[in-house]
Amino acid sequence: MSLSIISPLFLSAFLFFSLLHPPTFAIEKSYIVYLGSHSHGSEAKLSDFKRVKNSHYELLGSFTKSKEKAREKIFYSYTKNINGFAAMLEDDEAAELAKHPDVISVFLNKGKRLHTTHSWSFLGLERDGEIPLGSIWYKSKFGKDVVVGNLDTGVWPESKSFSDEGMGPIPSHWRGICQRDTSGFCCNRKLIGARYFNKGYAAFAGPLNSTYNTTRDKAGHGTHTLSTAGGNFVPKANVFGNGNGTVKGGSPNARVAAYKVCWPPINGSGECFDADIMAAFDAAISDGVNVLSVSLGGDPADFFEDSIAIGSFHASKKGIVVVASAGNSGPAPGTVSNVAPWMITVGASTTDREFTNYVGLGNRRHLKGTSLSEKGLPAAKFYSLISGEHAKAPNSSAVDASLCKPGALDPRKAKGKILVCLRGENGRVNKGEQALLAGAVGMILANDENSGNEIIADAHVLPASHINFTDGEALYAYINSSRVPVAFMTHVKTKLETKPAPFMAAFSSRGPNSIASSILKPDITAPGVSIIASYSLAVSPTGEDFDKRRISFNTESGTSMSCPHVSGVVGLLKTLHPDWSPASIRSAIMTTARTRANNMNPILDSSTNLKATPFDYGAGHIRPNRAMDPGLVYDLTENDYLNFLCAQGYNQSQIKIFSGKPYPCPKSFSLEEFNYPSITVPNLNGHVTVTRRVRNVGPPGEYLAYVKSPPGVTVLVQPKSLKFKRIGEEKTFKVTLKNVTENEPRDYVFGTLVWTDRKHYVRSALVVRNY
């Protein structure tokens, strides 16, 4: 048969089978194309913004063969401070764009995760309800008129924490807006700005209805963090009668602004997307914020592919201090996120307040726990006790039942009893919900080994007590050895001045820094466990749909809670020292931190009950009153950060685009010269000399160097004394570190360098790994 002669029957068969195979289309994904800085300055006009947006269309249009097609693909143009755009691209288009000489990076629009009445007393700003004359609150006028911005889930504007009663006019430097919606959201002279960003989220979730066009907080997290950073004094705050007191933020007289970038989670992909985060940074920088609090993050990433690292660099250039949470992926090492050296990264630790109840066992042993359950069980009344594993449903695994996972429990076994659930995998309050659904009268939540001694007070939906790992082992041993195990549970009581405090939360993410090993992260730790602050009335205290309760104040735990504590302190320091750079403020906070608890022993790690290290707490636990008068500061400029990027291996073309100006990398600069307040040497082979520079911000005087050397390392400081004749004078010194032992295991060791004039103690952590 000739190829040119095809029978009608064959042609019909060909067409039929062709229809069985759908055509292949390239899948579009949302990407961010980062182009660095703008050529226009701070006095840019609307025409400049239009020109930038048009340049984005032209750039993308050169790859899509049509400027109109580029307009359809781009859903954000960053035109004010950050140069770049977010667009729906095919993988091939993204790969080709990344090769363009004007493009720094092209990366997927990924999702990031959301990472008190008494804490300010614990930090020394007040004492027994009174504010000492030496408190930084008095000195800084409570952060009067500093503007604190918050990238989070939005805000509940009706909260008393954001009332503008008694406040004066909005500061003249504020240029932000209050983005209106249909929910009745209103700003005032306290809550002076509100914006929402959801296009990056919509790229994953699909088209959004009008209920998403709001800055109103429907999750509670943003209201909690913003009120912790800059909320008013609000008396009679409590959670179900516990922790009664006056709730307040670190900078109570600050003005605040909410930037909503976080939305309901999508299939584990995250809830706060890079494209929206970049847009919020771009807007906030132009709006006139002084401090940006960012209680969210993802896995550590290259600086040019990390929306928070990019946004915070551009903010730092404008003198804005960015404070970010370290993450909640501890206690595993190398888990710390938000690791760029131009931001402050915060770990989480406890205060000296506990919400305590006790579990009494039938063998007369009492186990100390914590809870914020709304209801309790009758005092000293014993109930039958059963473990989740023993209450297993017929078709469930013993592991799932021990964790009290949904559907894993048999109500016939659990009904009327106190149920024991093992911590891990599913949420703590969700375990209580499963216990309640199974008919249990109460729950004991027992830590797994990784959680160690860290116990957290949650607003459980049934009487509950959270106990540590050691007590959990004793509890399980009792259940397994007793024929009829029984227990009772006491009501919750608030206890103050507990010891030791602080200690590091097991969940707090740890160093070393996986992106830049020469930079110690986290920088600092602050209260982040069982923190009471304002909350959204749109959500329950547990955040679960099954919980129909609503409260104005709630307790939450996480580095999300410790981050705004530092943001509040930064607001006070910005008011006191408006001429200090972001790096100077970070230095003041780091070098005045403490590494001992209130029992004068070293701060402990709750996951191991052993001495914590700088990988856990950075410089230590924040001391605001000391930070306002640090004596000396380690400062850094934009050029220092560019030198750092040079030393990290970024080329001059990338750095030129990133900084918006030509910048020749110095031939001799090394990471040992980067003027960070801590000193980290990740590969000590023989000896290394580190150079640092300090500026006097106190009275004239002479500082002497004192060293506690890391084990197996000698430390020589030259010169050993620094004499300052005036404020603002700078001095340089060198620190030489040398191995003194051979064949040591390749592990990190820790020490301390302190400069002191007997009034100020300027402390730097020494972190060294033998190579």
Side-chain angles (χ1 to χ4, degrees), residues 728-760:
E729 186 178 1
E730 292 191 334
K731 297 283 185 180
T732 298
F733 64 91
K734 295 182 182 295
V735 181
T736 301
L737 303 104
K738 183 179 180 181
N739 293 39
V740 294
T741 55
E742 296 182 359
N743 301 319
E744 285 289 318
R746 188 181 177 189
D747 202 0
Y748 280 96
V749 288
F750 308 97
T752 307
L753 164 64
V754 179
W755 288 100
T756 180
D757 63 352
R758 298 301 181 185
K759 177 185 178 184
H760 305 92

PDB file of all heavy atoms in Angstrom, residues 728-760:
ATOM      1  N   GLY A 728      31.548  58.046  70.334  1.00  0.00           N
ATOM      2  CA  GLY A 728      31.668  57.895  68.887  1.00  0.00           C
ATOM      3  C   GLY A 728      33.031  57.439  68.418  1.00  0.00           C
ATOM      4  O   GLY A 728      33.200  57.090  67.245  1.00  0.00           O
ATOM      5  N   GLU A 729      34.021  57.429  69.330  1.00  0.00           N
ATOM      6  CA  GLU A 729      35.360  56.993  68.948  1.00  0.00           C
ATOM      7  C   GLU A 729      35.365  55.483  68.698  1.00  0.00           C
ATOM      8  O   GLU A 729      34.717  54.713  69.403  1.00  0.00           O
ATOM      9  CB  GLU A 729      36.347  57.337  70.063  1.00  0.00           C
ATOM     10  CG  GLU A 729      37.798  57.049  69.706  1.00  0.00           C
ATOM     11  CD  GLU A 729      38.759  57.449  70.818  1.00  0.00           C
ATOM     12  OE1 GLU A 729      38.272  57.933  71.874  1.00  0.00           O
ATOM     13  OE2 GLU A 729      39.976  57.289  70.640  1.00  0.00           O
ATOM     14  N   GLU A 730      36.100  55.040  67.677  1.00  0.00           N
ATOM     15  CA  GLU A 730      36.173  53.627  67.318  1.00  0.00           C
ATOM     16  C   GLU A 730      37.577  53.078  67.537  1.00  0.00           C
ATOM     17  O   GLU A 730      38.567  53.780  67.358  1.00  0.00           O
ATOM     18  CB  GLU A 730      35.761  53.408  65.855  1.00  0.00           C
ATOM     19  CG  GLU A 730      34.288  53.680  65.592  1.00  0.00           C
ATOM     20  CD  GLU A 730      33.855  53.212  64.210  1.00  0.00           C
ATOM     21  OE1 GLU A 730      34.713  53.149  63.301  1.00  0.00           O
ATOM     22  OE2 GLU A 730      32.666  52.924  64.039  1.00  0.00           O
ATOM     23  N   LYS A 731      37.625  51.826  67.933  1.00  0.00           N
ATOM     24  CA  LYS A 731      38.893  51.131  68.138  1.00  0.00           C
ATOM     25  C   LYS A 731      38.789  49.738  67.504  1.00  0.00           C
ATOM     26  O   LYS A 731      37.739  49.105  67.520  1.00  0.00           O
ATOM     27  CB  LYS A 731      39.206  50.968  69.631  1.00  0.00           C
ATOM     28  CG  LYS A 731      39.395  52.269  70.392  1.00  0.00           C
ATOM     29  CD  LYS A 731      40.767  52.887  70.111  1.00  0.00           C
ATOM     30  CE  LYS A 731      40.991  54.123  70.983  1.00  0.00           C
ATOM     31  NZ  LYS A 731      42.317  54.726  70.732  1.00  0.00           N
ATOM     32  N   THR A 732      39.912  49.273  66.984  1.00  0.00           N
ATOM     33  CA  THR A 732      39.980  47.944  66.374  1.00  0.00           C
ATOM     34  C   THR A 732      40.850  47.037  67.234  1.00  0.00           C
ATOM     35  O   THR A 732      41.841  47.476  67.832  1.00  0.00           O
ATOM     36  CB  THR A 732      40.571  48.037  64.954  1.00  0.00           C
ATOM     37  OG1 THR A 732      39.709  48.836  64.145  1.00  0.00           O
ATOM     38  CG2 THR A 732      40.702  46.662  64.321  1.00  0.00           C
ATOM     39  N   PHE A 733      40.460  45.773  67.328  1.00  0.00           N
ATOM     40  CA  PHE A 733      41.281  44.797  68.042  1.00  0.00           C
ATOM     41  C   PHE A 733      41.277  43.485  67.261  1.00  0.00           C
ATOM     42  O   PHE A 733      40.450  43.267  66.362  1.00  0.00           O
ATOM     43  CB  PHE A 733      40.767  44.587  69.481  1.00  0.00           C
ATOM     44  CG  PHE A 733      39.388  43.997  69.576  1.00  0.00           C
ATOM     45  CD1 PHE A 733      39.196  42.620  69.657  1.00  0.00           C
ATOM     46  CD2 PHE A 733      38.266  44.824  69.613  1.00  0.00           C
ATOM     47  CE1 PHE A 733      37.922  42.079  69.750  1.00  0.00           C
ATOM     48  CE2 PHE A 733      36.992  44.284  69.713  1.00  0.00           C
ATOM     49  CZ  PHE A 733      36.817  42.915  69.784  1.00  0.00           C
ATOM     50  N   LYS A 734      42.225  42.612  67.595  1.00  0.00           N
ATOM     51  CA  LYS A 734      42.346  41.316  66.939  1.00  0.00           C
ATOM     52  C   LYS A 734      42.275  40.202  67.976  1.00  0.00           C
ATOM     53  O   LYS A 734      42.757  40.360  69.100  1.00  0.00           O
ATOM     54  CB  LYS A 734      43.656  41.227  66.152  1.00  0.00           C
ATOM     55  CG  LYS A 734      43.729  42.208  64.986  1.00  0.00           C
ATOM     56  CD  LYS A 734      45.025  42.047  64.207  1.00  0.00           C
ATOM     57  CE  LYS A 734      45.105  43.063  63.067  1.00  0.00           C
ATOM     58  NZ  LYS A 734      44.065  42.832  62.048  1.00  0.00           N
ATOM     59  N   VAL A 735      41.669  39.108  67.569  1.00  0.00           N
ATOM     60  CA  VAL A 735      41.561  37.925  68.431  1.00  0.00           C
ATOM     61  C   VAL A 735      42.172  36.755  67.671  1.00  0.00           C
ATOM     62  O   VAL A 735      41.697  36.392  66.584  1.00  0.00           O
ATOM     63  CB  VAL A 735      40.091  37.611  68.778  1.00  0.00           C
ATOM     64  CG1 VAL A 735      40.018  36.386  69.685  1.00  0.00           C
ATOM     65  CG2 VAL A 735      39.432  38.812  69.433  1.00  0.00           C
ATOM     66  N   THR A 736      43.230  36.174  68.222  1.00  0.00           N
ATOM     67  CA  THR A 736      43.879  35.018  67.604  1.00  0.00           C
ATOM     68  C   THR A 736      43.490  33.755  68.361  1.00  0.00           C
ATOM     69  O   THR A 736      43.684  33.667  69.579  1.00  0.00           O
ATOM     70  CB  THR A 736      45.407  35.178  67.595  1.00  0.00           C
ATOM     71  OG1 THR A 736      45.754  36.364  66.860  1.00  0.00           O
ATOM     72  CG2 THR A 736      46.077  33.976  66.957  1.00  0.00           C
ATOM     73  N   LEU A 737      42.933  32.804  67.629  1.00  0.00           N
ATOM     74  CA  LEU A 737      42.516  31.528  68.217  1.00  0.00           C
ATOM     75  C   LEU A 737      43.405  30.426  67.661  1.00  0.00           C
ATOM     76  O   LEU A 737      43.665  30.373  66.444  1.00  0.00           O
ATOM     77  CB  LEU A 737      41.045  31.239  67.895  1.00  0.00           C
ATOM     78  CG  LEU A 737      40.050  32.319  68.351  1.00  0.00           C
ATOM     79  CD1 LEU A 737      39.587  33.161  67.159  1.00  0.00           C
ATOM     80  CD2 LEU A 737      38.843  31.702  69.045  1.00  0.00           C
ATOM     81  N   LYS A 738      43.852  29.525  68.528  1.00  0.00           N
ATOM     82  CA  LYS A 738      44.814  28.496  68.124  1.00  0.00           C
ATOM     83  C   LYS A 738      44.477  27.169  68.790  1.00  0.00           C
ATOM     84  O   LYS A 738      44.163  27.114  69.979  1.00  0.00           O
ATOM     85  CB  LYS A 738      46.231  28.932  68.520  1.00  0.00           C
ATOM     86  CG  LYS A 738      47.323  27.965  68.091  1.00  0.00           C
ATOM     87  CD  LYS A 738      48.692  28.485  68.503  1.00  0.00           C
ATOM     88  CE  LYS A 738      49.795  27.522  68.076  1.00  0.00           C
ATOM     89  NZ  LYS A 738      51.131  28.013  68.502  1.00  0.00           N
ATOM     90  N   ASN A 739      44.581  26.100  68.006  1.00  0.00           N
ATOM     91  CA  ASN A 739      44.393  24.748  68.556  1.00  0.00           C
ATOM     92  C   ASN A 739      45.552  24.417  69.489  1.00  0.00           C
ATOM     93  O   ASN A 739      46.709  24.679  69.162  1.00  0.00           O
ATOM     94  CB  ASN A 739      44.395  23.700  67.444  1.00  0.00           C
ATOM     95  CG  ASN A 739      43.192  23.820  66.544  1.00  0.00           C
ATOM     96  OD1 ASN A 739      42.766  24.908  66.228  1.00  0.00           O
ATOM     97  ND2 ASN A 739      42.653  22.703  66.135  1.00  0.00           N
ATOM     98  N   VAL A 740      45.258  23.814  70.621  1.00  0.00           N
ATOM     99  CA  VAL A 740      46.334  23.377  71.522  1.00  0.00           C
ATOM    100  C   VAL A 740      46.304  21.876  71.743  1.00  0.00           C
ATOM    101  O   VAL A 740      47.156  21.331  72.435  1.00  0.00           O
ATOM    102  CB  VAL A 740      46.251  24.104  72.879  1.00  0.00           C
ATOM    103  CG1 VAL A 740      46.530  25.581  72.706  1.00  0.00           C
ATOM    104  CG2 VAL A 740      44.908  23.878  73.553  1.00  0.00           C
ATOM    105  N   THR A 741      45.316  21.204  71.191  1.00  0.00           N
ATOM    106  CA  THR A 741      45.243  19.745  71.318  1.00  0.00           C
ATOM    107  C   THR A 741      45.129  19.124  69.932  1.00  0.00           C
ATOM    108  O   THR A 741      44.512  19.695  69.038  1.00  0.00           O
ATOM    109  CB  THR A 741      44.031  19.312  72.165  1.00  0.00           C
ATOM    110  OG1 THR A 741      42.843  19.887  71.602  1.00  0.00           O
ATOM    111  CG2 THR A 741      44.183  19.782  73.600  1.00  0.00           C
ATOM    112  N   GLU A 742      45.741  17.975  69.760  1.00  0.00           N
ATOM    113  CA  GLU A 742      45.688  17.273  68.489  1.00  0.00           C
ATOM    114  C   GLU A 742      44.720  16.100  68.573  1.00  0.00           C
ATOM    115  O   GLU A 742      44.425  15.595  69.652  1.00  0.00           O
ATOM    116  CB  GLU A 742      47.085  16.763  68.105  1.00  0.00           C
ATOM    117  CG  GLU A 742      48.092  17.888  67.856  1.00  0.00           C
ATOM    118  CD  GLU A 742      49.442  17.354  67.436  1.00  0.00           C
ATOM    119  OE1 GLU A 742      49.580  16.117  67.356  1.00  0.00           O
ATOM    120  OE2 GLU A 742      50.338  18.174  67.185  1.00  0.00           O
ATOM    121  N   ASN A 743      44.250  15.688  67.408  1.00  0.00           N
ATOM    122  CA  ASN A 743      43.371  14.524  67.293  1.00  0.00           C
ATOM    123  C   ASN A 743      42.098  14.647  68.126  1.00  0.00           C
ATOM    124  O   ASN A 743      41.548  13.656  68.598  1.00  0.00           O
ATOM    125  CB  ASN A 743      44.119  13.252  67.707  1.00  0.00           C
ATOM    126  CG  ASN A 743      45.354  13.033  66.850  1.00  0.00           C
ATOM    127  OD1 ASN A 743      45.326  13.244  65.641  1.00  0.00           O
ATOM    128  ND2 ASN A 743      46.442  12.620  67.491  1.00  0.00           N
ATOM    129  N   GLU A 744      41.663  15.907  68.340  1.00  0.00           N
ATOM    130  CA  GLU A 744      40.401  16.115  69.032  1.00  0.00           C
ATOM    131  C   GLU A 744      39.238  15.825  68.070  1.00  0.00           C
ATOM    132  O   GLU A 744      39.363  16.032  66.861  1.00  0.00           O
ATOM    133  CB  GLU A 744      40.293  17.557  69.532  1.00  0.00           C
ATOM    134  CG  GLU A 744      41.150  17.856  70.736  1.00  0.00           C
ATOM    135  CD  GLU A 744      40.632  17.184  71.992  1.00  0.00           C
ATOM    136  OE1 GLU A 744      39.410  17.190  72.216  1.00  0.00           O
ATOM    137  OE2 GLU A 744      41.450  16.615  72.734  1.00  0.00           O
ATOM    138  N   PRO A 745      38.116  15.332  68.567  1.00  0.00           N
ATOM    139  CA  PRO A 745      36.963  15.131  67.681  1.00  0.00           C
ATOM    140  C   PRO A 745      36.513  16.457  67.076  1.00  0.00           C
ATOM    141  O   PRO A 745      36.605  17.509  67.715  1.00  0.00           O
ATOM    142  CB  PRO A 745      35.884  14.548  68.614  1.00  0.00           C
ATOM    143  CG  PRO A 745      36.325  14.911  69.994  1.00  0.00           C
ATOM    144  CD  PRO A 745      37.812  14.944  69.956  1.00  0.00           C
ATOM    145  N   ARG A 746      36.072  16.381  65.838  1.00  0.00           N
ATOM    146  CA  ARG A 746      35.681  17.610  65.126  1.00  0.00           C
ATOM    147  C   ARG A 746      34.308  18.043  65.622  1.00  0.00           C
ATOM    148  O   ARG A 746      33.278  17.632  65.105  1.00  0.00           O
ATOM    149  CB  ARG A 746      35.661  17.345  63.620  1.00  0.00           C
ATOM    150  CG  ARG A 746      35.468  18.596  62.790  1.00  0.00           C
ATOM    151  CD  ARG A 746      35.444  18.248  61.316  1.00  0.00           C
ATOM    152  NE  ARG A 746      35.195  19.440  60.518  1.00  0.00           N
ATOM    153  CZ  ARG A 746      34.953  19.419  59.211  1.00  0.00           C
ATOM    154  NH1 ARG A 746      34.917  18.266  58.575  1.00  0.00           N
ATOM    155  NH2 ARG A 746      34.729  20.529  58.547  1.00  0.00           N
ATOM    156  N   ASP A 747      34.299  18.871  66.638  1.00  0.00           N
ATOM    157  CA  ASP A 747      33.051  19.323  67.228  1.00  0.00           C
ATOM    158  C   ASP A 747      33.222  20.762  67.702  1.00  0.00           C
ATOM    159  O   ASP A 747      34.334  21.266  67.840  1.00  0.00           O
ATOM    160  CB  ASP A 747      32.659  18.429  68.408  1.00  0.00           C
ATOM    161  CG  ASP A 747      31.173  18.500  68.709  1.00  0.00           C
ATOM    162  OD1 ASP A 747      30.454  19.239  67.993  1.00  0.00           O
ATOM    163  OD2 ASP A 747      30.726  17.836  69.649  1.00  0.00           O
ATOM    164  N   TYR A 748      32.078  21.413  67.965  1.00  0.00           N
ATOM    165  CA  TYR A 748      32.114  22.812  68.391  1.00  0.00           C
ATOM    166  C   TYR A 748      32.384  22.911  69.890  1.00  0.00           C
ATOM    167  O   TYR A 748      31.901  22.097  70.691  1.00  0.00           O
ATOM    168  CB  TYR A 748      30.786  23.484  68.073  1.00  0.00           C
ATOM    169  CG  TYR A 748      30.638  23.903  66.622  1.00  0.00           C
ATOM    170  CD1 TYR A 748      29.974  23.088  65.715  1.00  0.00           C
ATOM    171  CD2 TYR A 748      31.164  25.109  66.164  1.00  0.00           C
ATOM    172  CE1 TYR A 748      29.831  23.467  64.388  1.00  0.00           C
ATOM    173  CE2 TYR A 748      31.025  25.497  64.840  1.00  0.00           C
ATOM    174  CZ  TYR A 748      30.360  24.665  63.957  1.00  0.00           C
ATOM    175  OH  TYR A 748      30.225  25.048  62.644  1.00  0.00           O
ATOM    176  N   VAL A 749      33.171  23.927  70.248  1.00  0.00           N
ATOM    177  CA  VAL A 749      33.402  24.279  71.655  1.00  0.00           C
ATOM    178  C   VAL A 749      33.113  25.766  71.806  1.00  0.00           C
ATOM    179  O   VAL A 749      33.126  26.529  70.835  1.00  0.00           O
ATOM    180  CB  VAL A 749      34.840  23.941  72.093  1.00  0.00           C
ATOM    181  CG1 VAL A 749      35.024  22.443  72.229  1.00  0.00           C
ATOM    182  CG2 VAL A 749      35.874  24.513  71.117  1.00  0.00           C
ATOM    183  N   PHE A 750      32.875  26.202  73.044  1.00  0.00           N
ATOM    184  CA  PHE A 750      32.350  27.548  73.270  1.00  0.00           C
ATOM    185  C   PHE A 750      33.137  28.265  74.359  1.00  0.00           C
ATOM    186  O   PHE A 750      33.591  27.660  75.329  1.00  0.00           O
ATOM    187  CB  PHE A 750      30.875  27.472  73.665  1.00  0.00           C
ATOM    188  CG  PHE A 750      30.047  26.652  72.712  1.00  0.00           C
ATOM    189  CD1 PHE A 750      29.766  25.325  72.987  1.00  0.00           C
ATOM    190  CD2 PHE A 750      29.581  27.208  71.530  1.00  0.00           C
ATOM    191  CE1 PHE A 750      29.017  24.555  72.102  1.00  0.00           C
ATOM    192  CE2 PHE A 750      28.830  26.452  70.643  1.00  0.00           C
ATOM    193  CZ  PHE A 750      28.547  25.120  70.925  1.00  0.00           C
ATOM    194  N   GLY A 751      33.268  29.566  74.176  1.00  0.00           N
ATOM    195  CA  GLY A 751      33.921  30.413  75.165  1.00  0.00           C
ATOM    196  C   GLY A 751      33.322  31.805  75.146  1.00  0.00           C
ATOM    197  O   GLY A 751      32.267  32.040  74.541  1.00  0.00           O
ATOM    198  N   THR A 752      34.019  32.761  75.790  1.00  0.00           N
ATOM    199  CA  THR A 752      33.482  34.119  75.926  1.00  0.00           C
ATOM    200  C   THR A 752      34.608  35.140  75.901  1.00  0.00           C
ATOM    201  O   THR A 752      35.676  34.929  76.485  1.00  0.00           O
ATOM    202  CB  THR A 752      32.722  34.268  77.263  1.00  0.00           C
ATOM    203  OG1 THR A 752      31.750  33.246  77.384  1.00  0.00           O
ATOM    204  CG2 THR A 752      32.030  35.618  77.341  1.00  0.00           C
ATOM    205  N   LEU A 753      34.335  36.256  75.233  1.00  0.00           N
ATOM    206  CA  LEU A 753      35.197  37.438  75.309  1.00  0.00           C
ATOM    207  C   LEU A 753      34.370  38.574  75.897  1.00  0.00           C
ATOM    208  O   LEU A 753      33.272  38.863  75.402  1.00  0.00           O
ATOM    209  CB  LEU A 753      35.711  37.831  73.918  1.00  0.00           C
ATOM    210  CG  LEU A 753      36.307  39.238  73.773  1.00  0.00           C
ATOM    211  CD1 LEU A 753      37.564  39.390  74.628  1.00  0.00           C
ATOM    212  CD2 LEU A 753      36.589  39.566  72.309  1.00  0.00           C
ATOM    213  N   VAL A 754      34.895  39.233  76.945  1.00  0.00           N
ATOM    214  CA  VAL A 754      34.196  40.348  77.577  1.00  0.00           C
ATOM    215  C   VAL A 754      35.125  41.555  77.643  1.00  0.00           C
ATOM    216  O   VAL A 754      36.258  41.458  78.145  1.00  0.00           O
ATOM    217  CB  VAL A 754      33.719  39.987  79.004  1.00  0.00           C
ATOM    218  CG1 VAL A 754      33.018  41.185  79.639  1.00  0.00           C
ATOM    219  CG2 VAL A 754      32.793  38.785  78.982  1.00  0.00           C
ATOM    220  N   TRP A 755      34.644  42.696  77.136  1.00  0.00           N
ATOM    221  CA  TRP A 755      35.312  43.982  77.348  1.00  0.00           C
ATOM    222  C   TRP A 755      34.564  44.712  78.460  1.00  0.00           C
ATOM    223  O   TRP A 755      33.342  44.849  78.399  1.00  0.00           O
ATOM    224  CB  TRP A 755      35.265  44.827  76.080  1.00  0.00           C
ATOM    225  CG  TRP A 755      36.158  44.349  74.976  1.00  0.00           C
ATOM    226  CD1 TRP A 755      35.803  43.624  73.885  1.00  0.00           C
ATOM    227  CD2 TRP A 755      37.570  44.569  74.882  1.00  0.00           C
ATOM    228  NE1 TRP A 755      36.901  43.377  73.105  1.00  0.00           N
ATOM    229  CE2 TRP A 755      38.000  43.954  73.684  1.00  0.00           C
ATOM    230  CE3 TRP A 755      38.501  45.231  75.678  1.00  0.00           C
ATOM    231  CZ2 TRP A 755      39.324  43.969  73.261  1.00  0.00           C
ATOM    232  CZ3 TRP A 755      39.827  45.257  75.256  1.00  0.00           C
ATOM    233  CH2 TRP A 755      40.229  44.630  74.074  1.00  0.00           C
ATOM    234  N   THR A 756      35.291  45.174  79.467  1.00  0.00           N
ATOM    235  CA  THR A 756      34.610  45.832  80.586  1.00  0.00           C
ATOM    236  C   THR A 756      35.390  47.026  81.119  1.00  0.00           C
ATOM    237  O   THR A 756      36.624  47.019  81.170  1.00  0.00           O
ATOM    238  CB  THR A 756      34.352  44.841  81.737  1.00  0.00           C
ATOM    239  OG1 THR A 756      33.683  45.519  82.806  1.00  0.00           O
ATOM    240  CG2 THR A 756      35.646  44.227  82.246  1.00  0.00           C
ATOM    241  N   ASP A 757      34.634  48.075  81.494  1.00  0.00           N
ATOM    242  CA  ASP A 757      35.190  49.214  82.220  1.00  0.00           C
ATOM    243  C   ASP A 757      34.721  49.182  83.664  1.00  0.00           C
ATOM    244  O   ASP A 757      34.747  50.193  84.358  1.00  0.00           O
ATOM    245  CB  ASP A 757      34.788  50.529  81.541  1.00  0.00           C
ATOM    246  CG  ASP A 757      33.278  50.746  81.551  1.00  0.00           C
ATOM    247  OD1 ASP A 757      32.525  49.813  81.952  1.00  0.00           O
ATOM    248  OD2 ASP A 757      32.820  51.832  81.155  1.00  0.00           O
ATOM    249  N   ARG A 758      34.269  48.010  84.111  1.00  0.00           N
ATOM    250  CA  ARG A 758      33.737  47.742  85.458  1.00  0.00           C
ATOM    251  C   ARG A 758      32.313  48.258  85.643  1.00  0.00           C
ATOM    252  O   ARG A 758      31.687  47.995  86.668  1.00  0.00           O
ATOM    253  CB  ARG A 758      34.646  48.318  86.560  1.00  0.00           C
ATOM    254  CG  ARG A 758      36.036  47.721  86.570  1.00  0.00           C
ATOM    255  CD  ARG A 758      36.003  46.216  86.759  1.00  0.00           C
ATOM    256  NE  ARG A 758      37.328  45.622  86.794  1.00  0.00           N
ATOM    257  CZ  ARG A 758      37.569  44.318  86.852  1.00  0.00           C
ATOM    258  NH1 ARG A 758      36.545  43.488  86.852  1.00  0.00           N
ATOM    259  NH2 ARG A 758      38.788  43.853  86.866  1.00  0.00           N
ATOM    260  N   LYS A 759      31.791  48.987  84.657  1.00  0.00           N
ATOM    261  CA  LYS A 759      30.384  49.362  84.687  1.00  0.00           C
ATOM    262  C   LYS A 759      29.633  48.641  83.581  1.00  0.00           C
ATOM    263  O   LYS A 759      28.547  48.116  83.784  1.00  0.00           O
ATOM    264  CB  LYS A 759      30.213  50.871  84.527  1.00  0.00           C
ATOM    265  CG  LYS A 759      28.742  51.294  84.472  1.00  0.00           C
ATOM    266  CD  LYS A 759      28.576  52.781  84.195  1.00  0.00           C
ATOM    267  CE  LYS A 759      27.093  53.146  84.089  1.00  0.00           C
ATOM    268  NZ  LYS A 759      26.900  54.584  83.717  1.00  0.00           N
ATOM    269  N   HIS A 760      30.220  48.629  82.396  1.00  0.00           N
ATOM    270  CA  HIS A 760      29.638  47.944  81.256  1.00  0.00           C
ATOM    271  C   HIS A 760      30.371  46.620  81.032  1.00  0.00           C
ATOM    272  O   HIS A 760      31.592  46.545  81.219  1.00  0.00           O
ATOM    273  CB  HIS A 760      29.748  48.797  79.991  1.00  0.00           C
ATOM    274  CG  HIS A 760      29.166  50.156  80.126  1.00  0.00           C
ATOM    275  ND1 HIS A 760      29.918  51.253  80.513  1.00  0.00           N
ATOM    276  CD2 HIS A 760      27.900  50.613  79.931  1.00  0.00           C
ATOM    277  CE1 HIS A 760      29.148  52.321  80.549  1.00  0.00           C
ATOM    278  NE2 HIS A 760      27.919  51.968  80.204  1.00  0.00           N
TER     279      HIS A 760
END
